């Protein structure tokens, strides 16, 4: 008899592969009896000692009958008459069974490993010992001992984020996380972490952090707001993920695909779901980068469902901010022009209608390589297909003489059970791998059950499930049937709660935080069932933008989960999902002026596929209030990230019936409509913002009233006769902003104020506004607005004839734009160098830069910012006069032949890298 007893993270028992249902333990003392004995060496205790532990308030003769009852109920729950044996003066748990206890496995693994190889032991610790028995003295000492051993492993291996998750008040872990941010040059993250640490200390301990934290805070504050050393082109491009474990059996495939990429510019890795295409693409990409020193960018196409959104997703993952540009394909073409890059497009099959775009991308740059993973060919010119096969189940390919599939099983098994010995179970393991055709995903799922089933029983159960016709879809190819069947078999080993959460998880389109999972769960604490799903490889734990845990399903697993939801429950889950998303974006909308100022764009982007799914559900079900709430929270996001067509469609639908909406929501939608109109028509934007102003004023929404008035004042930039009116409006906005606080809001109002006064020739007022705004944005570590203020200050330096200072400021702004992927801002800003170049006697170079800037804007399909138009026209006129019209046209054409990246490389040379002048 095989029995697995789990005590870490919660109590559960599995007998011969059959989970004991939770309702079997309704007798509290029966469960306590099993737990107490499981914690003792040999699962054995003297009878009197056991009774004293369980019933310390009773005399022995009073406790004896209760022990017999508890024994009876424990045997009934376990389904084995000999489960608890009372013999002589001792009580023994499962003396005739092979028993595996997770706490013992962890304890042995933690004691045996070198700290540098502690990962398997750490993974075995799925939670504190018996968290439902916190007030039982018999568990306290063991719980603390195991917990301290776990924390010690985390500390020894430098897993500081995991240590903080387990022990939020660990000062050393906090400081080590901050020091890593400092080492990375990330001043903003370091400041935000220290701020949250200080708040935690005040809330939990009633004190301020100690001297070490204060010293580190002083060090962080002394860092430059933007470290030029870490500003590299497109540093926010999505990196190719590294597989979390050693890749088995793909060395030869990696070499073959690299050889194909050497000869062909478009290679598709073709194969069924679960065969390992994504992992192979990652290994190929890292090998390619190592051998060529070129960059690679990873695009997970499961983030979109609509093929028309593929260009936008690629642009975003390249680290490019679309800005006002409404032609994303045009922007993508400009960005890829003459780029040396490996672009990995993962999971292409569900957006295969976008295949023509891939063919076009390859034609845009002779040095671009595209590696696609898909279940279907793209069928475009130049495509070279490499079919990814399952792992071999025949021996001899692995360096130890093992079949690749068996080697993978061994890797999974030893991670689950460090005591696993392959030689003892080679026959059964080979049979298991053969029964799933060597498919890596199926092997991982099957191997994950070794904590509860030994290989012989695993083989027996797996074979019976795979042979069940009810476990597979009739429309699936033969070789694809094994994975759905394996998932279905895996579900049979889960309890009802885990099965229900598995089905509900299908609501999510990508990786989500724990709070999102909690939102679709209505049956107590979600952590325990979620941990089981992660443990069984049905849900995967990943890491978010800020290293927080996120949870996701593979697309194939999600499809299977979705089929398990009944229609009524599907509606409930979708409603809960949409409600969570609406609350999520609304919360960011409020906090973008305060604690989320530096990250709200990234947070929305990370959840964008959930936002779109929630909006689509609310719209299809006719829930206009919920649709409007989601729409209203995205106005500035669309404007800054370039999702103009989508935004106009969503906003247009809401404005068509705005009289039925909540006035607060209508006001925000009007604010969004103004942003979408502003690039093409300032008067139209003004109409929307004036309507928003009326509503915000009536509602007493002071912060949003300040914002609406500020952006309304910007609509007069091209109307000099309205300068006084514009300044009156901006004065009101600034006063309101200062009254409610929120430095990010004040900085934006000051930037608009600087624009208005600069265009009107009031340089002294503009200088004061820009310098205050730069100081605020630097403190917030808001790199985008730092670049905006630097750029605008360069105009003022040019006005007063300080051309070297103007050149320095503009170059700093350009370097930030380039590193953030803000290509539109870079296209605007690069022509600003023309004025200082002309002032320094290099008018011809200025003409080249104007040509490069105008061409970049043309390719991007964008207009020059209204506040920059007078400055640009002045410099063009002066340079034309200096070099003559004919020479100017020649130089302008020379610049127009440069890509934006080439122009940036021209001005951001090595000499500029060595400049060390202080910031203004």
């Amino acid at each position: 008899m095989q029995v697995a007893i789990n005590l870490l993270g919660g109590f559960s028992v599995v007998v011969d592969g059959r989970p004991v249902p939770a309702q079997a333990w309704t007798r509290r003392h029966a469960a306590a009896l099993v737990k107490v004995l499981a914690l003792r060496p040999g699962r054995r205790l003297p009878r009197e000692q056991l009774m004293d532990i369980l019933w310390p308030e009773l005399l022995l003769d009073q406790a004896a009958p209760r022990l017999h009852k508890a024994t009876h109920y424990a045997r009934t729950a376990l389904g084995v008459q000999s489960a608890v044996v009372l013999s002589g003066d001792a009580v023994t748990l499962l003396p005739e069974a092979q028993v595996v206890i997770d706490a013992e496995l962890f304890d042995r693994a933690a004691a045996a490993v070198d700290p540098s190889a502690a990962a398997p032991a750490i993974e075995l610790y799925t939670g504190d010992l018996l968290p439902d028995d916190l007030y039982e003295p018999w568990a306290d000492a063991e719980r603390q001992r195991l917990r301290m051993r776990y924390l010690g492993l985390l500390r020894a291996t430098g897993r500081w984020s995991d240590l903080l998750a387990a022990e939020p008040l660990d000062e050393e872990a906090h400081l080590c996380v901050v020091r890593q941010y400092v080492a990375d040059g990330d001043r903003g993250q370091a400041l935000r972490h220290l701020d949250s640490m200080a708040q935690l200390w005040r809330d939990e301990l009633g004190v301020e952090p100690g001297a070490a934290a204060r010293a580190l805070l002083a060090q962080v504050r002394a860092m430059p707001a933007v470290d030029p050393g870490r500003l590299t082109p497109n540093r926010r491009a999505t990196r190719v993920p590294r597989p979390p474990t050693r890749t088995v059996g793909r060395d030869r495939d990696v070499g073959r695909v690299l050889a194909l990429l050497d000869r062909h510019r478009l290679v598709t890795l073709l194969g069924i779901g679960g065969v390992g295409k994504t992992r192979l693409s990652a290994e190929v990409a890292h090998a390619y980068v190592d051998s060529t020193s070129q960059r690679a960018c990873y695009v997970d196409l499961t983030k979109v469902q609509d093929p028309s959104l593929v260009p936008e997703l690629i642009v975003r993952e390249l680290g490019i901010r679309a800005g006002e540009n409404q032609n994303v394909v045009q922007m993508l073409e400009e960005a890829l022009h003459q780029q040396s890059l490996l672009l990995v497009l993962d999971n292409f099959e569900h957006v295969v209608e976008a295949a023509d775009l891939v063919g076009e991308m390859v034609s845009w740059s002779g040095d671009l390589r595209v590696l696609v993973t898909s279940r279907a060919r793209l069928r475009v010119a130049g495509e070279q297909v490499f079919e990814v096969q399952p792992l071999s189940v025949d021996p001899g390919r692995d360096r130890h003489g093992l079949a690749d599939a068996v080697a993978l099983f061994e890797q999974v098994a030893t991670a689950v059970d460090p005591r696993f010995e392959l030689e003892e179970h080679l026959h059964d393991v080979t049979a298991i791998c053969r029964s799933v055709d060597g498919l890596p995903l199926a092997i991982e799922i099957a191997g994950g059950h070794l904590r509860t089933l030994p290989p012989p029983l695993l083989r027996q159960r797996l074979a019976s499930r795979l042979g069940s016709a009810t476990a597979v879809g009739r429309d699936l190819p033969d070789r694809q049937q094994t994975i759905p069947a394996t998932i279905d078999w895996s579900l049979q080993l889960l309890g009802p709660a885990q099965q229900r959460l598995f089905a509900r998880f299908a609501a999510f389109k990508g990786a989500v935080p724990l709070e999102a999972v909690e939102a679709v769960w209505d049956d107590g604490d979600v952590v325990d069932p979620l941990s089981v799903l992660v443990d069984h490889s049905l849900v995967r734990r990943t890491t978010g933008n800020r290293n927080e845990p996120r949870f996701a399903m593979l697309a194939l697993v999600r499809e299977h989960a979705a089929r398990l939801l009944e229609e009524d429950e599907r509606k409930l889950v979708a409603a809960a999902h949409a409600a969570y998303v609406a609350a999520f974006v609304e919360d960011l909308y409020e906090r973008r002026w305060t604690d989320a100022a530096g990250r709200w764009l990234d947070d929305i982007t990370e959840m964008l596929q959930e936002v779109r799914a929630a909006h689509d559900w609310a719209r299809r079900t006719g829930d206009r209030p919920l649709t409007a709430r989601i729409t209203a929270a995205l106005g500035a996001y669309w404007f800054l990230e370039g999702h103009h067509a989508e935004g106009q469609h969503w906003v247009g639908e809401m404005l068509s019936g705005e009289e039925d909406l909540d006035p607060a929501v209508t006001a925000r939608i009007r604010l969004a409509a103004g942003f979408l109109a502003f690039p093409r028509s300032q008067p139209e934007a003004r109409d929307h913002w004036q309507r928003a102003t009326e509503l915000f004023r009536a509602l007493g929404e002071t912060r949003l009233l300040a914002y609406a008035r500020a952006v309304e004042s910007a609509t007069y930039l091209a109307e000099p006769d309205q300068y006084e009116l514009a300044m009156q409006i901006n004065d009101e906005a600034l006063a309101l902003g200062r009254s409610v606080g929120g430095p990010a809001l004040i900085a934006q109002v000051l930037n608009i104020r600087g624009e208005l006064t600069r265009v009107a020739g009031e340089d002294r007022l503009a200088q004061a506004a820009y310098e205050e705004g730069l100081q605020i944005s630097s403190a917030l570590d808001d790199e985008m607005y730092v670049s905006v203020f630097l750029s605008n200050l360069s105009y003022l330096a040019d006005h007063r004839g300080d051309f070297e200072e103007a050149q320095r400021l503009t170059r700093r702004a350009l370097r930030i734009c380039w590193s953030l992927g803000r290509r539109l801002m870079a296209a605007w800003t690069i022509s600003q160098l023309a004025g200082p170049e002309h002032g320094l006697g290099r008018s011809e170079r200025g003409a080249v830069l104007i040509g490069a800037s105008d061409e970049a804007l043309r390719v991007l399909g964008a207009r020059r910012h209204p506040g920059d138009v007078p400055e640009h026209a002045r410099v063009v006129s002066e340079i034309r006069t200096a070099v003559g019209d004919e020479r100017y046209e020649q130089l302008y054409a020379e610049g127009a032949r440069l890509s934006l990246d080439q122009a940036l490389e021209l001005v951001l040379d090595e000499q500029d890298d060595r400049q060390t002048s202080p910031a203004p």
Side-chain angles (χ1 to χ4, degrees):
M1 179 171 55
Q2 308 280 342
V3 180
I5 302 176
N6 297 320
L7 305 175
L8 298 175
F11 174 63
S12 64
V13 182
V14 178
V15 179
D16 284 341
R18 176 187 61 83
V20 176
Q23 55 267 31
W25 302 107
T26 53
R27 302 283 181 167
R28 184 172 63 86
H29 283 114
L33 174 67
V34 173
K35 296 172 186 176
V36 169
L37 291 172
L39 286 172
R40 296 308 189 269
R43 302 182 304 284
R44 178 184 176 91
L45 268 177
R47 186 183 305 216
E48 291 185 3
Q49 184 179 348
L50 179 59
M51 288 189 291
D52 190 52
I53 289 172
L54 294 177
W55 299 281
E57 75 284 1
L58 299 181
L59 298 174
L60 290 178
D61 59 344
Q62 295 172 316
R66 300 196 180 196
L67 175 59
H68 286 282
K69 284 186 179 180
T71 300
H72 167 72
Y73 287 121
R75 291 167 177 166
T76 302
L78 295 170
V80 180
Q81 188 58 32
S82 60
V84 181
V85 176
L86 284 73
S87 177
D89 292 332
V91 182
T92 308
L93 176 67
L94 297 162
E96 300 174 358
Q98 295 183 31
V99 181
V100 175
I101 301 174
D102 61 350
E104 289 184 357
L105 289 179
F106 166 74
D107 209 19
R108 283 196 294 269
V113 299
D114 183 295
S116 63
I122 290 173
E123 294 304 319
L124 288 172
Y125 192 89
T126 55
D128 287 344
L129 182 82
L130 298 172
D132 294 330
D133 297 284
L134 293 178
Y135 303 106
E136 298 291 353
W138 47 263
D140 283 347
E142 187 67 0
R143 180 184 300 113
Q144 289 303 316
R145 187 185 69 81
L146 293 174
R147 177 177 172 78
M148 294 308 297
R149 171 158 275 183
Y150 170 64
L151 297 179
L153 288 176
L154 295 178
R155 195 180 305 279
T157 54
R159 294 174 65 158
W160 304 113
S161 295
D162 289 336
L163 182 54
L164 285 179
E167 191 62 60
L169 292 174
D170 191 298
E171 183 177 20
E172 181 189 9
H174 280 286
L175 298 183
C176 285
V177 169
V178 174
R179 290 188 184 105
Q180 185 57 57
Y181 287 137
V182 171
D184 293 341
D186 198 335
R187 178 179 183 269
Q189 284 285 47
L191 283 173
R192 282 189 283 274
H193 192 102
L194 286 169
D195 284 345
S196 64
M197 176 186 172
Q199 188 62 52
L200 181 65
W201 255 238
R202 288 190 288 268
D203 291 345
E204 298 294 329
L205 305 176
V207 299
E208 296 294 328
R214 291 195 297 273
L216 188 54
L217 177 60
Q219 178 186 348
V220 173
R221 284 176 173 166
M223 293 172 64
V226 182
D227 180 5
R230 67 186 180 98
L231 298 184
T232 57
N234 291 348
R235 64 181 170 90
R236 294 195 176 185
T238 301
R239 297 178 179 177
V240 179
R242 286 194 179 274
T245 56
R246 182 177 67 88
T247 298
V248 174
R250 295 300 187 191
D251 291 348
R252 186 178 301 179
D253 290 343
V254 169
R256 290 172 175 172
V257 177
L258 285 172
L260 288 176
L261 283 171
D262 188 51
R263 301 191 304 271
H264 305 277
R265 294 173 50 212
L266 170 59
V267 176
T268 298
L269 303 183
L270 195 67
I272 64 173
V275 78
K277 301 184 295 296
T278 296
R279 178 180 283 263
L280 177 58
S281 72
E283 294 290 0
V284 168
H286 287 293
Y288 182 86
V289 170
D290 291 342
S291 63
T292 64
S293 299
Q294 293 185 3
R295 294 186 300 124
C297 177
Y298 174 76
V299 182
D300 180 4
L301 291 165
T302 63
K303 291 183 177 181
V304 296
Q305 302 302 314
D306 184 347
S308 67
L309 297 176
V310 169
E312 169 197 305
L313 177 63
I314 296 175
V315 163
R316 189 167 72 240
E317 303 294 21
L318 281 167
I320 297 167
R321 306 300 194 186
E324 295 178 5
N325 181 53
Q326 299 187 45
N327 190 333
V328 182
V329 174
Q330 200 172 39
M331 170 168 276
L332 182 59
E333 178 179 358
E334 197 281 334
L336 292 176
H337 181 58
Q338 297 187 8
Q339 284 289 323
S340 295
L341 177 74
L342 175 64
L343 187 61
V344 181
L345 303 178
D346 196 17
N347 299 296
F348 208 98
E349 60 276 351
H350 72 292
V351 290
V352 74
E353 292 86 349
D356 289 344
L357 173 68
V358 180
E360 293 175 13
M361 288 193 299
V362 171
S363 70
W364 292 337
S365 173
D367 289 329
L368 177 69
R369 296 287 190 275
V370 181
L371 181 63
V372 177
T373 76
S374 179
R375 299 185 209 176
R377 291 180 58 189
L378 272 60
R379 300 187 183 278
V380 297
E383 179 187 26
Q384 182 69 34
V385 172
F386 180 88
E387 187 167 355
V388 183
Q389 300 289 346
L391 296 177
S392 171
V393 293
D394 297 319
R397 293 186 63 184
D398 183 80
R399 66 179 183 274
H400 300 300
L402 298 176
D404 292 332
V406 173
L408 175 60
F409 189 100
E410 181 184 28
Q411 177 176 286
V412 175
T414 53
V416 172
D417 180 3
R419 300 180 305 167
F420 178 79
E421 294 291 341
L422 179 64
E423 290 184 7
E424 297 178 13
H425 306 290
L426 183 59
H427 178 70
D428 289 316
V429 169
T430 302
I432 290 168
C433 293
R434 197 176 298 280
S435 71
V436 298
D437 292 338
L439 286 168
L441 176 59
I443 292 171
E444 289 182 14
I445 291 175
H449 292 292
L450 279 178
R451 290 187 67 184
T452 53
L453 297 178
L457 193 55
L458 180 64
R459 175 188 177 187
Q460 175 188 339
R461 297 281 178 137
L462 186 65
S464 67
R465 289 308 305 163
L466 291 174
S468 170
T470 62
V472 299
R474 294 184 178 87
D475 58 337
L476 294 175
D478 289 343
R479 297 185 71 180
Q480 226 174 320
Q481 293 186 12
T482 55
I483 291 182
T486 304
I487 296 170
D488 184 70
W489 167 81
S490 189
L491 288 173
Q492 307 309 310
L493 298 180
L494 303 180
Q498 291 92 20
Q499 292 183 13
R500 188 161 172 256
L501 180 59
F502 175 80
R504 287 189 163 221
F505 211 98
F508 302 114
K509 307 304 178 185
V512 296
L514 179 62
E515 292 80 8
V517 185
E518 290 174 327
V520 302
W521 184 243
D522 57 2
D523 192 13
D525 187 2
V526 77
V527 173
D528 283 348
L530 179 60
S531 298
V532 174
L533 295 181
V534 172
D535 195 40
H536 285 200
S537 300
L538 296 171
V539 170
R540 296 197 167 189
R541 176 176 169 172
T542 61
T543 302
N545 283 336
R546 294 184 306 284
N547 296 318
E548 78 284 9
R550 300 179 84 85
F551 302 92
M553 274 182 171
L554 293 175
L556 190 70
V557 178
R558 183 167 57 248
E559 291 168 8
H560 193 86
R563 292 196 291 268
L564 303 180
L565 275 178
E566 298 291 341
E567 184 60 28
D568 288 345
E569 188 171 15
R570 188 189 308 275
K571 292 177 181 177
L572 289 174
V573 173
H577 173 270
Y580 166 78
V581 168
F584 172 82
V585 294
E586 286 177 330
D587 178 61
L588 280 177
Y589 192 92
E590 296 295 338
R591 294 191 299 114
R592 58 174 291 203
W593 307 115
T594 54
D595 58 311
R599 59 177 175 81
W600 67 279
L601 288 173
D602 290 336
D603 282 359
I604 292 179
T605 297
E606 196 169 25
M607 288 286 284
L608 191 57
Q609 52 194 326
E610 308 301 330
V611 172
R612 284 171 170 154
H615 178 272
D616 181 63
W617 179 86
R619 182 173 173 272
R620 284 188 291 103
T621 57
D623 191 338
R624 277 183 61 81
L626 186 59
T627 310
R629 285 172 57 200
I630 297 172
T631 302
L634 296 178
Y637 177 81
W638 285 317
F639 176 67
L640 293 170
E641 295 296 279
H643 308 284
H644 289 249
E646 179 179 62
Q648 287 168 353
H649 178 65
W650 288 19
V651 167
E653 285 189 336
M654 293 298 97
L655 289 180
S656 64
E658 65 177 315
E659 63 278 356
D660 298 328
L661 301 176
D662 182 289
V665 175
T666 298
R668 297 182 183 204
I669 290 175
R670 283 286 182 176
L671 199 58
F675 281 118
L676 296 169
F678 184 73
R680 68 176 189 279
S681 172
Q682 285 79 57
E684 182 183 341
R686 186 185 307 154
D687 289 341
H688 287 299
W689 287 333
Q690 287 175 343
R691 175 61 180 144
T693 292
E694 295 171 5
L695 292 169
F696 287 136
R697 202 183 296 279
L699 293 164
E701 286 262 17
T702 306
R703 178 173 282 123
L704 291 177
L705 173 60
Y707 192 35
R709 292 297 271 169
V711 291
E712 180 189 341
S713 70
T715 64
Y716 293 101
L717 275 168
E719 301 177 32
D721 57 323
Q722 298 296 322
Y723 171 69
E724 294 297 332
L725 173 61
M727 286 301 294
Q728 290 174 12
I729 296 171
N730 192 269
D731 284 343
E732 179 189 2
L734 188 56
L736 290 169
R738 294 193 193 280
S739 73
V740 296
L745 170 61
I746 295 170
Q748 292 191 38
V749 178
L750 286 168
N751 182 58
I752 295 171
R753 187 179 190 81
E755 296 263 295
L756 290 168
T757 51
R758 175 172 57 78
V759 170
E762 299 281 356
D763 281 13
R764 182 182 59 81
L765 295 176
Q767 184 89 18
Y770 287 147
E771 287 182 347
E772 183 182 355
L774 177 60
Q775 183 178 9
I776 292 171
S777 297
S778 297
L780 293 172
D781 204 50
D782 188 339
E783 294 172 289
M784 184 184 77
Y785 265 91
V786 166
S787 72
V788 169
F789 284 115
L790 291 172
S791 174
N792 285 327
L793 283 166
S794 75
Y795 278 133
L796 301 181
D798 186 77
H799 290 178
R800 62 178 181 266
D802 192 347
F803 302 121
E804 289 186 352
E805 174 70 354
Q807 185 182 65
R808 185 184 69 81
L809 291 169
T810 307
R811 282 177 168 168
R812 283 191 62 203
L814 277 172
R815 192 173 293 284
I816 297 171
C817 293
W818 201 20
S819 72
L820 294 177
R822 293 280 178 189
R823 300 183 72 81
L824 176 58
M825 290 178 64
W828 285 341
T829 307
I830 197 167
S831 65
Q832 287 183 216
L833 279 172
E837 292 287 353
H838 170 62
L840 293 169
R842 297 192 288 267
S843 302
E844 291 195 345
R845 182 180 172 94
V848 170
L849 295 177
I850 291 171
S853 173
D854 284 358
E855 176 63 12
L857 289 172
R858 184 195 69 76
V859 171
L860 292 171
R863 302 176 176 85
R864 196 171 295 280
H865 191 278
D868 295 339
V869 170
E871 304 278 4
H872 183 73
R874 172 183 61 81
V875 172
V876 168
S877 176
E878 291 177 1
I879 291 178
R880 272 187 178 275
T881 300
V883 302
D885 287 344
E886 183 177 353
R887 180 58 177 158
Y888 176 84
E889 295 298 337
Q890 292 173 347
L891 295 165
Y892 182 93
E894 180 183 329
R897 287 192 290 272
L898 298 175
S899 70
L900 179 58
D901 290 285
Q902 288 173 324
L904 288 166
E905 288 171 356
L906 180 67
V907 298
L908 301 177
D909 53 19
E910 292 182 2
Q911 181 178 0
D912 182 55
D913 287 337
R914 294 194 295 269
Q915 290 184 349
T916 57
S917 302

